[in-house]
Amino acid sequence: MGLYLARRDWTFEIVGTDVNTERLDAASRGVYAARALRNVEGDWLRRYFRPAGRHFRLNEDVRCSVRFQYGNLTEELAPRKSAEGQDIILCKNVAIYFRPQMRRRLVRRLYEALNDGGYLLLGHSESLWQMEDGFALVEHEGAFCYRRMAARPRAARQRDPTPGARWRRTGAPPKTRARSSSSGTERPAGPAAIQAPPSVSGEEAVGQYDRCLAMFRAGEWAQAEAALDALIRSSPTFVPACLLRGGVYVHRGRYDQALEQAEGVLRLNDLEARAHLLVGMIAARGGRHDEALQALRRSLYLDDSLALAYFWLGNL
Ligand SMILES: C[S@@+](CC[C@H](N)C(=O)[O-])C[C@H]1O[C@@H](n2cnc3c(N)ncnc32)[C@H](O)[C@@H]1O
Protein backbone atom coordinates (compact mmCIF):
# COMPACT_ATOMS: atom_id res chain seq x y z
CA MET A 1 0.00 0.00 0.00
CA GLY A 2 3.03 2.26 -0.15
CA LEU A 3 2.86 2.89 3.57
CA TYR A 4 6.62 2.60 3.91
CA LEU A 5 7.07 5.39 1.34
CA ALA A 6 4.34 7.67 2.62
CA ARG A 7 5.27 7.30 6.29
CA ARG A 8 9.02 7.17 6.45
CA ASP A 9 8.97 8.21 10.12
CA TRP A 10 6.85 5.19 11.07
CA THR A 11 8.28 1.91 12.11
CA PHE A 12 6.19 -1.06 11.27
CA GLU A 13 6.51 -4.77 11.11
CA ILE A 14 4.80 -7.04 8.59
CA VAL A 15 4.81 -10.75 9.35
CA GLY A 16 3.48 -13.49 7.10
CA THR A 17 2.85 -16.92 8.57
CA ASP A 18 1.97 -20.34 7.26
CA VAL A 19 2.21 -23.90 8.52
CA ASN A 20 3.65 -25.03 5.18
CA THR A 21 7.34 -24.12 4.83
CA GLU A 22 7.23 -24.48 1.03
CA ARG A 23 4.58 -21.79 0.93
CA LEU A 24 6.79 -19.62 3.16
CA ASP A 25 9.75 -20.05 0.80
CA ALA A 26 7.58 -19.21 -2.19
CA ALA A 27 6.20 -16.16 -0.40
CA SER A 28 9.68 -14.83 0.46
CA ARG A 29 10.75 -15.17 -3.19
CA GLY A 30 7.97 -12.74 -4.10
CA VAL A 31 7.54 -14.08 -7.64
CA TYR A 32 4.01 -14.14 -9.01
CA ALA A 33 2.35 -15.44 -12.18
CA ALA A 34 0.46 -12.77 -14.12
CA ARG A 35 -2.82 -14.39 -13.13
CA ALA A 36 -2.10 -13.86 -9.44
CA LEU A 37 -1.66 -10.13 -10.13
CA ARG A 38 -4.70 -9.70 -12.33
CA ASN A 39 -6.27 -7.30 -9.82
CA VAL A 40 -3.13 -5.20 -9.36
CA GLU A 41 -3.66 -2.02 -11.31
CA GLY A 42 -1.12 -0.87 -13.92
CA ASP A 43 0.53 1.81 -11.85
CA TRP A 44 1.08 -0.43 -8.89
CA LEU A 45 2.39 -3.20 -11.07
CA ARG A 46 4.94 -0.88 -12.70
CA ARG A 47 5.96 0.69 -9.44
CA TYR A 48 6.40 -2.40 -7.32
CA PHE A 49 7.18 -5.28 -9.69
CA ARG A 50 9.78 -6.19 -12.31
CA PRO A 51 9.06 -8.69 -15.09
CA ALA A 52 10.91 -11.99 -14.57
CA GLY A 53 10.32 -14.16 -17.63
CA ARG A 54 6.60 -14.87 -17.70
CA HIS A 55 6.33 -13.86 -14.08
CA PHE A 56 6.65 -10.73 -11.99
CA ARG A 57 9.00 -10.23 -9.10
CA LEU A 58 8.20 -7.94 -6.20
CA ASN A 59 10.83 -5.24 -5.63
CA GLU A 60 13.49 -5.89 -3.04
CA ASP A 61 12.61 -2.84 -0.92
CA VAL A 62 9.10 -4.21 -0.38
CA ARG A 63 10.23 -7.79 0.11
CA CYS A 64 12.75 -6.87 2.76
CA SER A 65 10.11 -5.13 4.85
CA VAL A 66 8.16 -8.37 5.30
CA ARG A 67 9.23 -11.23 7.50
CA PHE A 68 7.93 -14.76 6.99
CA GLN A 69 7.79 -17.30 9.74
CA TYR A 70 6.32 -20.67 10.53
CA GLY A 71 3.07 -20.47 12.45
CA ASN A 72 0.30 -22.95 13.12
CA LEU A 73 -2.99 -21.16 13.63
CA THR A 74 -4.45 -24.13 15.53
CA GLU A 75 -1.87 -23.47 18.26
CA GLU A 76 -1.04 -20.36 20.26
CA LEU A 77 -0.06 -17.49 17.96
CA ALA A 78 3.70 -17.12 17.62
CA PRO A 79 5.27 -14.46 19.86
CA ARG A 80 6.23 -11.27 18.05
CA LYS A 81 9.28 -9.09 18.16
CA SER A 82 7.51 -6.04 19.53
CA ALA A 83 5.48 -6.20 22.70
CA GLU A 84 2.67 -4.16 21.17
CA GLY A 85 -0.48 -5.65 19.73
CA GLN A 86 -1.19 -5.72 16.02
CA ASP A 87 -3.04 -3.06 14.07
CA ILE A 88 -4.14 -5.15 11.11
CA ILE A 89 -4.50 -8.89 10.71
CA LEU A 90 -5.30 -10.46 7.36
CA CYS A 91 -6.49 -14.02 7.78
CA LYS A 92 -7.85 -15.17 4.46
CA ASN A 93 -9.11 -18.54 3.34
CA VAL A 94 -7.52 -20.54 6.12
CA ALA A 95 -10.09 -20.70 8.93
CA ILE A 96 -12.67 -22.02 6.45
CA TYR A 97 -10.88 -25.36 6.70
CA PHE A 98 -11.12 -25.47 10.48
CA ARG A 99 -13.88 -27.06 12.54
CA PRO A 100 -16.26 -24.50 14.10
CA GLN A 101 -14.76 -24.92 17.57
CA MET A 102 -11.23 -24.33 16.28
CA ARG A 103 -12.39 -21.40 14.18
CA ARG A 104 -13.96 -19.85 17.27
CA ARG A 105 -10.74 -20.36 19.25
CA LEU A 106 -8.71 -18.76 16.45
CA VAL A 107 -11.01 -15.75 16.28
CA ARG A 108 -10.57 -15.22 20.04
CA ARG A 109 -6.77 -15.39 19.62
CA LEU A 110 -6.86 -12.91 16.77
CA TYR A 111 -9.04 -10.67 18.91
CA GLU A 112 -6.49 -10.84 21.74
CA ALA A 113 -3.62 -10.15 19.32
CA LEU A 114 -5.23 -6.98 17.95
CA ASN A 115 -4.95 -3.55 19.48
CA ASP A 116 -8.19 -1.77 20.34
CA GLY A 117 -9.42 -0.29 17.08
CA GLY A 118 -7.31 -2.76 15.06
CA TYR A 119 -8.71 -4.36 11.93
CA LEU A 120 -9.31 -7.98 11.02
CA LEU A 121 -9.67 -8.70 7.30
CA LEU A 122 -11.00 -12.06 6.15
CA GLY A 123 -11.40 -13.64 2.72
CA HIS A 124 -14.21 -12.25 0.62
CA SER A 125 -16.53 -15.18 1.28
CA GLU A 126 -15.78 -15.37 5.00
CA SER A 127 -17.40 -13.75 7.98
CA LEU A 128 -17.27 -13.95 11.76
CA TRP A 129 -20.81 -15.27 11.72
CA GLN A 130 -21.78 -16.10 15.33
CA MET A 131 -18.26 -15.23 16.60
CA GLU A 132 -18.25 -11.49 16.19
CA ASP A 133 -18.31 -10.60 19.90
CA GLY A 134 -16.02 -7.68 20.57
CA PHE A 135 -15.81 -6.75 16.89
CA ALA A 136 -17.70 -4.11 14.96
CA LEU A 137 -18.48 -4.67 11.30
CA VAL A 138 -16.98 -1.83 9.25
CA GLU A 139 -17.87 -1.17 5.65
CA HIS A 140 -15.29 0.30 3.30
CA GLU A 141 -16.07 0.96 -0.34
CA GLY A 142 -18.55 -1.89 -0.58
CA ALA A 143 -16.35 -4.42 1.21
CA PHE A 144 -16.37 -5.10 4.90
CA CYS A 145 -13.94 -5.95 7.62
CA TYR A 146 -14.03 -6.20 11.39
CA ARG A 147 -12.69 -3.76 13.90
CA ARG A 148 -11.82 -4.64 17.46
CA MET A 149 -13.78 -2.57 19.94
CA ALA A 150 -12.37 -1.41 23.25
CA ALA A 151 -11.48 -4.26 25.58
CA ARG A 152 -13.86 -5.27 28.28
CA PRO A 153 -12.92 -4.64 31.91
CA ARG A 154 -10.94 -7.62 33.18
CA ALA A 155 -13.49 -8.65 35.85
CA ALA A 156 -16.31 -8.77 33.34
CA ARG A 157 -14.12 -10.68 30.87
CA GLN A 158 -13.35 -13.41 33.40
CA ARG A 159 -17.00 -13.96 34.16
CA ASP A 160 -18.03 -14.11 30.53
CA PRO A 161 -15.18 -14.79 28.11
CA THR A 162 -17.30 -14.84 24.94
CA PRO A 163 -20.57 -13.06 25.62
CA GLY A 164 -23.51 -14.72 23.96
CA ALA A 165 -21.39 -17.53 22.48
CA ARG A 166 -22.91 -20.29 24.57
CA TRP A 167 -26.34 -19.03 23.75
CA ARG A 168 -25.72 -18.98 20.04
CA ARG A 169 -24.10 -22.42 20.13
CA THR A 170 -26.93 -24.08 21.99
CA GLY A 171 -29.80 -21.92 20.82
CA ALA A 172 -30.59 -21.11 24.44
CA PRO A 173 -30.90 -17.49 25.52
CA PRO A 174 -28.14 -15.93 27.61
CA LYS A 175 -28.26 -15.74 31.37
CA THR A 176 -25.64 -13.01 31.66
CA ARG A 177 -26.56 -9.38 32.06
CA ALA A 178 -25.35 -6.66 29.74
CA ARG A 179 -24.57 -4.52 32.78
CA SER A 180 -22.54 -6.09 35.53
CA SER A 181 -24.28 -5.54 38.86
CA SER A 182 -21.07 -5.53 40.95
CA SER A 183 -18.93 -3.12 38.94
CA GLY A 184 -21.64 -1.18 37.09
CA THR A 185 -19.53 -1.56 33.94
CA GLU A 186 -21.09 -2.04 30.57
CA ARG A 187 -20.08 -4.57 27.97
CA PRO A 188 -19.22 -3.13 24.57
CA ALA A 189 -22.27 -3.41 22.33
CA GLY A 190 -21.14 -5.75 19.55
CA PRO A 191 -23.27 -6.42 16.49
CA ALA A 192 -24.91 -9.21 18.44
CA ALA A 193 -24.90 -7.62 21.89
CA ILE A 194 -27.50 -9.07 24.19
CA GLN A 195 -29.60 -6.42 25.85
CA ALA A 196 -31.86 -8.05 28.38
CA PRO A 197 -31.68 -11.16 30.50
CA PRO A 198 -34.49 -13.70 30.18
CA SER A 199 -36.64 -14.41 33.20
CA VAL A 200 -36.78 -18.15 32.46
CA SER A 201 -33.81 -20.50 32.45
CA GLY A 202 -32.08 -21.45 29.18
CA GLU A 203 -33.33 -25.07 29.36
CA GLU A 204 -36.88 -23.97 30.09
CA ALA A 205 -36.85 -21.58 27.14
CA VAL A 206 -35.48 -24.25 24.81
CA GLY A 207 -38.21 -26.65 25.98
CA GLN A 208 -40.88 -24.01 25.32
CA TYR A 209 -39.34 -23.28 21.94
CA ASP A 210 -39.45 -26.98 20.98
CA ARG A 211 -43.16 -27.09 21.84
CA CYS A 212 -43.76 -23.99 19.68
CA LEU A 213 -41.86 -25.58 16.83
CA ALA A 214 -43.99 -28.74 17.08
CA MET A 215 -47.17 -26.60 16.90
CA PHE A 216 -45.72 -24.70 13.92
CA ARG A 217 -44.95 -27.95 12.11
CA ALA A 218 -48.45 -29.20 12.83
CA GLY A 219 -49.89 -26.02 11.30
CA GLU A 220 -51.40 -24.92 14.63
CA TRP A 221 -50.64 -21.26 13.91
CA ALA A 222 -52.81 -19.63 16.58
CA GLN A 223 -51.49 -21.85 19.38
CA ALA A 224 -47.90 -21.47 18.16
CA GLU A 225 -48.27 -17.69 18.06
CA ALA A 226 -49.71 -17.49 21.57
CA ALA A 227 -46.97 -19.71 22.97
CA LEU A 228 -44.26 -17.74 21.15
CA ASP A 229 -45.71 -14.45 22.45
CA ALA A 230 -45.35 -15.77 25.98
CA LEU A 231 -41.84 -17.10 25.37
CA ILE A 232 -40.62 -13.85 23.77
CA ARG A 233 -42.13 -11.80 26.59
CA SER A 234 -39.83 -13.62 29.01
CA SER A 235 -36.87 -13.94 26.61
CA PRO A 236 -37.06 -10.95 24.24
CA THR A 237 -33.65 -11.59 22.65
CA PHE A 238 -34.11 -15.32 22.08
CA VAL A 239 -33.50 -15.19 18.34
CA PRO A 240 -34.84 -18.64 17.29
CA ALA A 241 -38.18 -17.81 18.92
CA CYS A 242 -38.34 -14.37 17.25
CA LEU A 243 -37.64 -15.96 13.87
CA LEU A 244 -40.22 -18.67 14.39
CA ARG A 245 -42.81 -16.03 15.28
CA GLY A 246 -41.86 -14.27 12.03
CA GLY A 247 -42.54 -17.57 10.23
CA VAL A 248 -45.94 -17.86 11.92
CA TYR A 249 -46.82 -14.31 10.79
CA VAL A 250 -45.84 -15.24 7.22
CA HIS A 251 -48.10 -18.29 7.30
CA ARG A 252 -50.96 -16.17 8.63
CA GLY A 253 -50.43 -13.61 5.84
CA ARG A 254 -49.31 -10.85 8.24
CA TYR A 255 -46.27 -9.81 6.25
CA ASP A 256 -45.77 -6.39 7.88
CA GLN A 257 -45.51 -7.96 11.30
CA ALA A 258 -43.23 -10.69 9.93
CA LEU A 259 -40.93 -8.06 8.46
CA GLU A 260 -40.89 -6.14 11.73
CA GLN A 261 -39.90 -9.35 13.49
CA ALA A 262 -37.05 -10.04 11.04
CA GLU A 263 -35.80 -6.48 11.28
CA GLY A 264 -35.86 -6.72 15.07
CA VAL A 265 -33.59 -9.77 14.89
CA LEU A 266 -31.26 -7.99 12.46
CA ARG A 267 -30.96 -5.13 14.91
CA LEU A 268 -29.66 -7.65 17.45
CA ASN A 269 -27.38 -9.36 14.94
CA ASP A 270 -27.20 -8.17 11.35
CA LEU A 271 -25.34 -11.33 10.38
CA GLU A 272 -28.25 -13.61 11.32
CA ALA A 273 -28.71 -15.55 8.08
CA ARG A 274 -32.22 -16.77 8.91
CA ALA A 275 -33.47 -13.24 9.43
CA HIS A 276 -32.25 -12.32 5.93
CA LEU A 277 -33.98 -15.45 4.66
CA LEU A 278 -37.20 -14.32 6.29
CA VAL A 279 -36.86 -10.85 4.75
CA GLY A 280 -36.30 -12.54 1.36
CA MET A 281 -39.35 -14.78 1.69
CA ILE A 282 -41.54 -11.86 2.68
CA ALA A 283 -40.29 -9.76 -0.24
CA ALA A 284 -40.80 -12.70 -2.64
CA ARG A 285 -44.38 -13.19 -1.48
CA GLY A 286 -44.95 -9.46 -1.88
CA GLY A 287 -43.68 -9.61 -5.51
CA ARG A 288 -40.60 -7.45 -4.70
CA HIS A 289 -38.25 -9.70 -6.59
CA ASP A 290 -35.05 -7.64 -6.56
CA GLU A 291 -35.29 -7.08 -2.86
CA ALA A 292 -36.02 -10.79 -2.36
CA LEU A 293 -33.02 -11.86 -4.45
CA GLN A 294 -30.74 -9.54 -2.55
CA ALA A 295 -31.90 -10.77 0.87
CA LEU A 296 -31.78 -14.44 -0.13
CA ARG A 297 -28.27 -14.09 -1.54
CA ARG A 298 -27.24 -12.32 1.63
CA SER A 299 -28.61 -15.19 3.72
CA LEU A 300 -26.66 -17.77 1.67
CA TYR A 301 -23.53 -15.66 1.84
CA LEU A 302 -23.76 -15.91 5.63
CA ASP A 303 -24.86 -19.54 5.77
CA ASP A 304 -24.64 -21.61 2.60
CA SER A 305 -26.47 -24.54 4.17
CA LEU A 306 -29.89 -22.83 4.20
CA ALA A 307 -31.85 -25.15 1.90
CA LEU A 308 -34.95 -22.96 2.05
CA ALA A 309 -32.99 -20.00 0.68
CA TYR A 310 -31.88 -22.08 -2.33
CA PHE A 311 -35.48 -23.17 -2.81
CA TRP A 312 -36.76 -19.57 -2.86
CA LEU A 313 -33.92 -18.42 -5.09
CA GLY A 314 -34.83 -21.26 -7.46
CA ASN A 315 -38.45 -20.12 -7.44
CA LEU A 316 -37.46 -16.56 -8.24
C1 LIG B 1 -6.23 -21.47 0.59
S1 LIG B 1 -4.64 -20.97 1.14
C2 LIG B 1 -4.89 -19.25 1.44
C3 LIG B 1 -3.63 -18.48 1.29
C4 LIG B 1 -3.76 -16.96 1.47
N1 LIG B 1 -4.16 -16.61 2.80
C5 LIG B 1 -4.69 -16.38 0.43
O1 LIG B 1 -5.82 -16.02 0.76
O2 LIG B 1 -4.32 -16.31 -0.72
C6 LIG B 1 -4.59 -21.67 2.73
C7 LIG B 1 -3.24 -21.57 3.38
O3 LIG B 1 -3.39 -21.85 4.75
C8 LIG B 1 -2.29 -22.60 5.19
N2 LIG B 1 -2.69 -23.31 6.41
C9 LIG B 1 -3.49 -24.39 6.51
N3 LIG B 1 -3.63 -24.75 7.80
C10 LIG B 1 -2.92 -23.87 8.53
C11 LIG B 1 -2.67 -23.73 9.93
N4 LIG B 1 -3.17 -24.58 10.81
N5 LIG B 1 -1.89 -22.71 10.34
C12 LIG B 1 -1.36 -21.83 9.44
N6 LIG B 1 -1.56 -21.92 8.12
C13 LIG B 1 -2.33 -22.94 7.66
C14 LIG B 1 -1.98 -23.51 4.01
O4 LIG B 1 -0.67 -24.02 4.06
C15 LIG B 1 -2.22 -22.57 2.83
O5 LIG B 1 -1.05 -21.89 2.47
Side-chain angles (χ1 to χ4, degrees), residues 17-20 23 71-74 91-94 96-98:
T17 65
D18 203 294
V19 78
N20 180 336
R23 301 312 309 155
N72 186 344
L73 293 174
T74 65
C91 186
K92 288 173 53 206
N93 308 322
V94 185
I96 40 175
Y97 301 108
F98 293 177

Coordinates of all heavy atoms in Angstrom, one line a residue, residues 17-20 23 71-74 91-94 96-98, ligand 1:
T17 N 2.7 -15.6 8.0 CA 2.9 -16.9 8.6 C 2.1 -18.0 7.8 O 1.1 -17.7 7.1 CB 2.4 -17.0 10.0 OG1 0.9 -16.8 10.0 CG2 3.0 -16.0 10.9
D18 N 2.6 -19.2 7.8 CA 2.0 -20.3 7.3 C 2.5 -21.6 8.0 O 3.6 -21.5 8.5 CB 2.2 -20.4 5.8 CG 1.2 -21.2 5.0 OD1 1.1 -22.5 5.2 OD2 0.5 -20.6 4.2
V19 N 1.8 -22.7 7.9 CA 2.2 -23.9 8.5 C 3.0 -24.7 7.5 O 3.7 -25.6 7.9 CB 1.0 -24.7 9.0 CG1 0.3 -25.4 7.9 CG2 1.3 -25.6 10.1
N20 N 3.0 -24.3 6.3 CA 3.7 -25.0 5.2 C 4.9 -24.3 4.8 O 4.8 -23.2 4.2 CB 2.7 -25.1 4.0 CG 3.3 -25.9 2.8 OD1 4.5 -25.9 2.6 ND2 2.4 -26.4 2.0
R23 N 5.3 -23.0 1.2 CA 4.6 -21.8 0.9 C 5.4 -20.6 1.4 O 5.4 -19.5 0.8 CB 3.2 -21.8 1.6 CG 2.2 -22.9 1.2 CD 2.2 -23.1 -0.3 NE 1.9 -21.9 -1.1 CZ 2.2 -21.8 -2.4 NH1 2.9 -22.7 -3.0 NH2 2.0 -20.7 -3.0
G71 N 4.1 -20.7 11.4 CA 3.1 -20.5 12.5 C 1.9 -21.4 12.2 O 1.4 -21.5 11.1
N72 N 1.5 -22.1 13.3 CA 0.3 -23.0 13.1 C -0.9 -22.3 13.8 O -0.8 -22.1 15.0 CB 0.6 -24.3 13.8 CG -0.5 -25.3 13.5 OD1 -1.6 -24.9 13.1 ND2 -0.3 -26.6 13.7
L73 N -1.9 -21.9 13.1 CA -3.0 -21.2 13.6 C -3.9 -22.0 14.6 O -4.7 -21.4 15.3 CB -3.8 -20.6 12.5 CG -3.2 -19.5 11.7 CD1 -4.1 -19.1 10.5 CD2 -2.8 -18.3 12.5
T74 N -3.7 -23.3 14.6 CA -4.4 -24.1 15.5 C -3.8 -24.1 16.9 O -4.3 -24.6 17.9 CB -4.6 -25.6 15.1 OG1 -3.3 -26.2 15.0 CG2 -5.2 -25.7 13.7
C91 N -6.4 -12.6 7.6 CA -6.5 -14.0 7.8 C -7.5 -14.6 6.8 O -8.7 -14.6 7.0 CB -6.9 -14.3 9.2 SG -6.8 -16.1 9.6
K92 N -7.0 -14.9 5.6 CA -7.9 -15.2 4.5 C -7.8 -16.6 4.1 O -6.7 -17.2 4.0 CB -7.4 -14.4 3.2 CG -7.6 -12.9 3.3 CD -7.0 -12.2 2.0 CE -7.4 -12.9 0.8 NZ -6.4 -12.8 -0.3
N93 N -9.0 -17.2 3.9 CA -9.1 -18.5 3.3 C -8.3 -19.6 4.1 O -7.8 -20.5 3.4 CB -8.7 -18.5 1.9 CG -9.4 -17.4 1.1 OD1 -10.6 -17.2 1.4 ND2 -8.8 -16.7 0.2
V94 N -8.2 -19.5 5.3 CA -7.5 -20.5 6.1 C -8.5 -21.1 7.1 O -8.8 -22.3 7.1 CB -6.3 -20.0 6.9 CG1 -5.6 -21.1 7.6 CG2 -5.4 -19.2 6.0
I96 N -11.6 -21.3 7.1 CA -12.7 -22.0 6.5 C -12.4 -23.5 6.5 O -13.4 -24.3 6.4 CB -12.9 -21.6 5.0 CG1 -11.6 -21.4 4.2 CG2 -13.8 -20.4 4.9 CD1 -11.8 -21.1 2.8
Y97 N -11.2 -23.9 6.6 CA -10.9 -25.4 6.7 C -11.0 -25.9 8.1 O -10.8 -27.1 8.3 CB -9.5 -25.6 6.1 CG -9.3 -25.2 4.7 CD1 -8.6 -24.1 4.4 CD2 -10.0 -25.8 3.7 CE1 -8.4 -23.6 3.1 CE2 -9.9 -25.4 2.4 CZ -9.1 -24.3 2.1 OH -9.0 -23.9 0.8
F98 N -11.1 -25.0 9.1 CA -11.1 -25.5 10.5 C -12.5 -25.9 10.9 O -13.5 -25.4 10.4 CB -10.6 -24.3 11.4 CG -9.2 -24.0 11.2 CD1 -8.6 -22.9 11.9 CD2 -8.4 -24.7 10.3 CE1 -7.3 -22.6 11.8 CE2 -7.0 -24.3 10.2 CZ -6.5 -23.3 10.9
Ligands
LIG1 C1 -6.2 -21.5 0.6 S1 -4.6 -21.0 1.1 C2 -4.9 -19.3 1.4 C3 -3.6 -18.5 1.3 C4 -3.8 -17.0 1.5 N1 -4.2 -16.6 2.8 C5 -4.7 -16.4 0.4 O1 -5.8 -16.0 0.8 O2 -4.3 -16.3 -0.7 C6 -4.6 -21.7 2.7 C7 -3.2 -21.6 3.4 O3 -3.4 -21.8 4.8 C8 -2.3 -22.6 5.2 N2 -2.7 -23.3 6.4 C9 -3.5 -24.4 6.5 N3 -3.6 -24.7 7.8 C10 -2.9 -23.9 8.5 C11 -2.7 -23.7 9.9 N4 -3.2 -24.6 10.8 N5 -1.9 -22.7 10.3 C12 -1.4 -21.8 9.4 N6 -1.6 -21.9 8.1 C13 -2.3 -22.9 7.7 C14 -2.0 -23.5 4.0 O4 -0.7 -24.0 4.1 C15 -2.2 -22.6 2.8 O5 -1.0 -21.9 2.5

